[in-house]
Amino acid sequence: MAGAGRLHNPYWKRRNLLQLGFVAVLCSASYFLGIWQHGGGGGGGSSNSIIASTVLAPVSCDRENPASIPGGTVTLDFTIHHGADQSEAGADQPAAAREFPACDVKYAEYTPCEDRDRSLRFDRDRLIYRERHCPEKGELLKCLIPAPPGYKNPFPWPASRETAWFANVPHKELTVEKAVQNWIRVDGDKFRFPGGGTMFPNGADAYIDDIDQLISLSDGSIRTAVDTGCGVASWGAYLLSRDVLAMSFAPRDSHEAQVQFALERGVPAMIGVLASIRLPYPSRAFDMAHCSRCLIPWQLYDGQYLMEIDRILRPGGFWVLSGPPINWKKHWKGWNRTREDLSEEQSAIEAVAKSLCWTKYKEVGDIAIWQKPINHMNCKSTRKIMNSPGFCRSQNPDTAWYTKMETCITPLPEVGGAEETAGGELKKWPERLTAVPPRIASGSLAGITPEMFLRDTELWKKRVGYYKTVNNQLGQKGRYRNLLDMNANFGGFAAALIEDPLWVMNIVPTEANSNTLGVIYERGLIGTYQNWCEAMSTYPRTYDLLHADSVFTLYKDRCEAEDILLEMDRILRPEGMVIIRDDVDLVVKIKSIADRMRWDSRIVDHEDGPLEREKILVVVKTYWTAPAGSSQE
C-alpha cells in the first residue's frame, strides 16, 4: 500500500522528475565532453579530428542501464558487460603503463628481415644473404619506428605515380645511378618519375604498347603479373590503367630504396629476390611474368630460376624477357659483352624454356615472349625420351614459405584431354572476380564449397559498407591507396573495394587453416604468404590502411600481441588507419596496448549489433616524425 501511495504523492513525482533530469544532464555532459576531448577541443592534432568525425557513434542514455553508452565510452561498456578477463585486458599492468618510446632515427627505414648488418652473416653465393633472415625474439625492437623529419602525406593517386616528396624517401642514389635511364629525378622538394627504364627509353607506356602488340593486354585474359627485379616499378605502375595488376619485387640492396619508391608511388611492390627459396606465391598464380634487364641469371643453377617462374605461372601464361641477351646483335657493344657470350646465354635460356615445355611465342625487336602449356599431357610424354628435368614429387606446389627450390618441373593438375586447361579455365577479367574460382569449384580445397565462397563475397560487401559508415574517409576517393589485408581468406575485403582507386595486398598467414592464396589469384587479385610473428618484407610507412580480421585470435598462443602491433605500426603511414575485428576480450587487450603507441583508437560494435562478441577496433596513427635535423646515418 505504501508503494501505491507513492504513485499519487506529489513529492515522489517531483523526485522522479529530478532523477530523470539529472540522468539526462549527465548523459548530455558526457556526450559533449567526449566530443570536446576527441574532436580537437583538447588541443589534439588532425588524427583526433579524424577519429571524432568518423568513429564516434550517437550516444543513447539508457536509464535502466546508464553504463550502456556506445561510442565515446564504449570501452567501459565492453569491459563491464562482456567480462573480459582482467589479466587479458591488461589490467595487471601498472595504472600508468609506460608508452613505447620512439626508436632512434637511424631505424627510420628499418626492414627487420632484410637488415643489411644481419645479412652479412649469410652466404653471398646465389644472393642467399639477401633472402629473409629475421631477428630472434631477443633482438626485436620494442620501440616505434619514426618517420624522417619533414615527412608529408603522399600525393593521392594518380598524381603519386609521377611525383613523391623527397623528405619521405630522402635518397638520391638512383637519380645518379640511373640518370641516363630516366627512372627518377629530383625536382626541388619532390621526386619525379618520368616512366623510363633500361629497355624502354620512350617510357613505360610505349613499352607496354609494344607488348600489347604481341599479346593482348586489353581483352581481360591477362590480369595478374609479376615483375622480377622491378626497379621503381614503372612497368607495374603503367599497367594499372589497363586493369592489369602487377606484383613487383626487388632485393633490399640492389639500389637504395627502389621498392620503397614503388610503394610511395602507390604501386604494389615488396622486397624479394630469386635466390635459393621459392617466391612467396602459390603455384599457377600469375597470368604473365616479366623481366626487363632484371640481371637474373636464368640459365644458371640448372635453370632453377625459370623453373620457379614456371611454378607460379598459370597454364597458358606468358614470360616476357627484354634486355640481355635479347636482340644482342644490335646491343652487344653497348652491353660491353662479347657476341659469343650473349649468343651462348640466349641459347642456354632457350634450352631451359624448351625443357619446361614452353613454346617460343614471339620475338620482335627487344622483346621475347614464351608461353607455358595449358597442361602437361604432351610434356609428360617427352620425359620418357628426355629425363631431365623430371617432375617434382616431394613438395606441395603451393607451399612457398622458406621452401627450398628444386631442380624439377612443378606438375600441373591432371586433365582428361589435350585441349583441357589444367586446374580449370579462368574467366576473363572482370568476370573472374566474382565467379567461383576453379580451385573451389573442383573441390581441391578440403571443406570449402562454392556456396561458402558466394556467401563470403556477399558478407564482405556488407562489412565494407559498414566500415565506410564507421570511417567515412574509407569512402572518400583517393584518401587511401595502399591497403593490406592481414588475414584475407578468399580476398572478399579486397573484392568489395574493387571500384575504388586503391589496391589491396592480400595476406594468407602461414598458420591459416586453409591455404587460399591460389583462390585470391584466380579471382584476379594479388597477395603473399606471411607469418605475423615475423616482420613483413616491406619498408616502414608503406601502407595507408591495415585490416586485421581475427589475426590476434590466430596468433594468440604463437607470439606476443605487442610485437604484431609494433610491426603494424612500422608499416603504417602517419595518419593511416587500422581496422581490427576480433573477440571482445582480445580487442580490449589490444586497445590497452594501442593506447601506448601514439594511436587514437575506439571500439565500435559489430555490423550485426552490440550483442555480437566480435567487436571492431578502429585506429588512427597520429602524425609524428623524428626531430628536425636528426640524421639517419
Side-chain angles (χ1 to χ4, degrees):
M1 294 299 293
R6 286 182 178 181
L7 294 175
H8 302 286
N9 189 323
Y11 168 77
W12 291 110
K13 288 183 179 180
R14 287 196 302 274
R15 183 171 176 179
N16 286 339
L17 287 172
L18 286 171
Q19 287 177 333
L20 283 170
F22 182 65
V23 169
V25 169
L26 279 178
C27 291
S28 299
S30 298
Y31 175 71
F32 289 111
L33 180 61
I35 291 176
W36 182 80
Q37 286 179 330
H38 303 295
S46 60
S47 299
N48 289 335
S49 301
I50 293 171
I51 284 286
S53 65
T54 62
V55 177
L56 288 176
V59 176
S60 62
C61 293
D62 182 350
R63 193 166 76 89
E64 295 299 323
N65 182 10
S68 178
I69 304 173
T73 55
V74 75
T75 306
L76 174 63
D77 179 45
F78 292 152
T79 54
I80 289 174
H81 289 84
H82 291 282
D85 185 302
Q86 292 304 301
S87 62
E88 283 281 301
D92 56 337
Q93 296 188 13
R98 183 175 65 88
E99 291 191 353
F100 291 96
C103 303
D104 189 281
V105 69
K106 69 181 181 181
Y107 292 107
E109 295 177 1
Y110 183 50
T111 54
C113 296
E114 288 85 11
D115 179 62
R116 282 176 288 190
D117 293 337
R118 182 177 295 104
S119 72
L120 297 178
R121 307 174 196 170
F122 297 90
D123 195 345
R124 299 181 74 84
D125 181 50
R126 289 190 58 167
L127 301 181
I128 289 172
Y129 75 108
R130 286 186 178 168
E131 293 179 329
R132 285 176 60 87
H133 303 291
C134 297
E136 300 294 330
K137 184 172 177 59
E139 298 178 280
L140 296 177
L141 295 180
K142 298 288 186 178
C143 53
L144 305 175
I145 301 295
Y151 179 90
K152 299 178 183 180
N153 287 332
F155 290 90
W157 183 266
S160 63
R161 188 177 70 174
E162 280 84 28
T163 312
W165 295 110
F166 178 82
N168 292 9
V169 193
H171 292 286
K172 293 185 178 180
E173 294 89 340
L174 279 176
T175 67
V176 177
E177 292 183 32
K178 299 295 181 180
V180 298
Q181 295 165 20
N182 216 22
W183 279 19
I184 181 174
R185 66 175 187 263
V186 177
D187 181 8
D189 60 352
K190 302 177 186 69
F191 286 111
R192 301 288 184 186
F193 302 92
T198 310
M199 295 309 300
F200 30 101
N202 297 321
D205 239 354
Y207 173 75
I208 292 168
D209 282 339
D210 291 341
I211 296 174
D212 197 14
Q213 296 299 312
L214 306 178
I215 52 174
S216 177
L217 301 177
S218 55
D219 67 356
S221 59
I222 294 177
R223 164 63 180 174
T224 58
V226 61
D227 191 12
T228 57
C230 65
V232 294
S234 288
W235 187 72
Y238 283 85
L239 277 173
L240 289 167
S241 63
R242 304 171 193 244
D243 272 342
V244 177
L245 191 58
M247 172 72 80
S248 301
F249 71 83
R252 170 68 168 82
D253 288 331
S254 283
H255 300 292
E256 194 68 45
Q258 54 187 335
V259 167
Q260 190 175 14
F261 277 120
L263 287 156
E264 191 70 17
R265 299 174 72 183
V267 180
M270 61 186 294
I271 300 170
V273 64
L274 269 168
S276 69
I277 62 174
R278 286 179 172 179
L279 296 172
Y281 316 119
S283 65
R284 299 180 281 129
F286 296 99
D287 304 320
M288 175 171 57
H290 173 257
C291 163
S292 176
R293 199 170 185 177
C294 59
L295 305 181
I296 295 171
W298 299 109
Q299 76 281 11
L300 299 184
Y301 313 117
D302 298 318
Q304 271 194 357
Y305 295 156
L306 268 185
M307 292 174 191
E308 177 61 1
I309 296 299
D310 179 76
R311 182 184 70 85
I312 63 175
L313 266 185
R314 69 161 171 83
F318 296 97
W319 183 52
V320 180
L321 177 64
S322 64
I326 304 305
N327 206 6
W328 59 266
K329 293 177 182 178
K330 176 181 178 182
H331 297 295
W332 68 277
K333 288 184 179 179
W335 290 339
N336 294 318
R337 293 175 61 184
T338 66
R339 297 166 63 95
E340 293 75 18
D341 181 34
L342 288 163
S343 176
E344 183 180 334
E345 181 180 339
Q346 178 148 1
S347 296
I349 289 174
E350 300 271 10
V352 175
K354 185 176 180 180
S355 75
L356 297 172
C357 300
W358 292 4
T359 57
K360 187 70 169 290
Y361 191 77
K362 285 180 182 176
E363 182 175 337
V364 178
D366 296 340
I367 299 172
I369 301 177
W370 286 262
Q371 186 173 26
K372 179 177 176 175
I374 62 172
N375 61 58
H376 276 157
M377 282 191 73
N378 291 333
C379 192
K380 285 183 177 179
S381 65
T382 65
R383 295 307 99 173
K384 298 174 183 178
I385 303 170
M386 183 175 59
N387 294 325
S388 180
F391 284 92
C392 304
R393 297 180 179 179
S394 60
Q395 297 186 129
N396 182 332
D398 290 342
T399 301
W401 188 248
Y402 297 116
T403 305
K404 288 291 184 182
M405 292 183 193
E406 294 181 300
T407 308
C408 53
I409 303 172
T410 301
L412 290 171
E414 296 293 334
V415 293
E419 302 302 316
E420 184 180 339
T421 299
E425 189 170 356
L426 291 173
K427 300 285 187 183
K428 290 187 176 182
W429 181 262
E431 288 80 12
R432 66 191 275 188
L433 179 69
T434 52
V436 176
R439 277 173 163 90
I440 294 178
S442 66
S444 60
L445 287 179
I448 297 175
T449 65
E451 291 73 25
M452 291 169 63
F453 170 80
L454 295 172
R455 285 198 302 270
D456 184 81
T457 299
E458 293 305 312
L459 174 65
W460 281 105
K461 288 180 183 177
K462 174 183 175 182
R463 287 180 169 179
V464 168
Y466 179 65
Y467 289 164
K468 288 182 177 181
T469 66
V470 168
N471 168 22
N472 58 21
Q473 295 199 358
L474 183 56
Q476 294 175 9
K477 303 294 184 185
R479 174 63 180 89
Y480 301 115
R481 174 64 184 170
N482 303 352
L483 276 64
L484 179 72
D485 192 357
M486 298 174 65
N487 187 15
N489 195 24
F490 303 141
F493 173 75
L497 289 164
I498 201 66
E499 298 299 328
D500 294 342
L502 52 81
W503 61 273
V504 180
M505 181 72 80
N506 294 281
I507 302 294
V508 171
T510 54
E511 295 75 19
N513 293 330
S514 183
N515 184 351
T516 55
L517 193 53
V519 167
I520 288 168
Y521 276 95
E522 287 181 341
R523 299 188 75 173
L525 305 171
I526 60 171
T528 185
Y529 296 113
Q530 176 65 34
N531 176 348
W532 287 114
C533 292
E534 299 178 1
M536 188 179 175
S537 291
T538 191
Y539 283 84
R541 302 173 302 282
T542 46
Y543 286 93
D544 304 307
L545 188 150
L546 310 180
H547 179 249
D549 176 18
S550 305
V551 168
F552 292 90
T553 289
L554 183 62
Y555 285 93
K556 185 176 179 181
D557 299 318
R558 292 183 166 96
C559 50
E560 298 298 324
E562 74 172 28
D563 292 331
I564 298 176
L565 289 165
L566 286 169
E567 172 61 6
M568 293 169 69
D569 183 80
R570 183 184 74 87
I571 64 180
L572 183 66
R573 287 175 174 164
E575 298 188 324
M577 183 72 66
V578 180
I579 301 173
I580 297 171
R581 59 185 308 134
D582 224 309
D583 182 83
V584 63
D585 289 353
L586 280 173
V587 169
V588 170
K589 174 184 176 181
I590 293 161
K591 188 180 189 308
S592 72
I593 301 171
D595 288 344
R596 299 156 50 204
M597 295 176 60
R598 306 193 193 192
W599 287 8
D600 282 334
S601 63
R602 295 289 180 274
I603 300 176
V604 299
D605 281 327
H606 188 278
E607 60 271 6
D608 290 337
L611 298 182
E612 298 289 333
R613 279 195 60 86
E614 187 174 75
K615 301 297 174 186
I616 301 170
L617 181 67
V618 183
V619 172
V620 170
K621 178 178 176 177
T622 59
Y623 174 86
W624 63 278
T625 70
S630 54
S631 172
Q632 298 181 42
E633 297 300 325

